[in-house]
Amino acid sequence: MQSENRLFDDLAKLLNGAAGTLAGMGREAEASMRARTKEWLGGLDFVARDEFEAVKAMAAAARDEAEALRARLDALEAAQRAPGGDA
């Protein structure tokens, strides 16, 4: 009877050790995969969301300024073409 208990104890220790080893291997594989994925995505030149929003705001401001300058230019050209214009 004592030998059966020892056999089960040894089997339990073996399975417990194997489970710990497999869990450690799983964590290591996950960390490695995360690192490789991060490295791969870093090489693709993705833009961060805040940088994208900043450039988007700058483009909108530049577009508004260009439209305002176009309106000024049209007004100046119309004034120049008008009879009695100063040019």
Side-chain angles (χ1 to χ4, degrees):
M1 190 91 163
Q2 186 67 16
S3 65
E4 288 182 7
N5 286 340
R6 183 175 174 126
L7 177 66
F8 288 134
D9 287 343
D10 288 345
L11 184 60
K13 287 179 186 177
L14 178 70
L15 291 176
N16 192 18
T21 301
L22 288 175
M25 288 173 54
R27 285 189 299 268
E28 187 175 329
E30 181 182 358
S32 176
M33 192 166 82
R34 283 181 189 267
R36 287 180 187 237
T37 302
K38 192 176 218 180
E39 179 182 321
W40 182 73
L41 288 175
L44 293 179
D45 293 332
F46 280 120
V47 178
R49 186 69 179 175
D50 56 342
E51 292 175 1
F52 174 77
E53 292 297 333
V55 171
K56 185 177 172 182
M58 288 186 337
R63 188 172 37 251
D64 292 342
E65 184 179 359
E67 289 174 4
L69 288 173
R70 185 175 295 125
R72 273 185 66 190
L73 180 61
D74 289 344
L76 288 172
E77 288 176 344
Q80 187 178 21
R81 283 191 303 260
D86 293 339

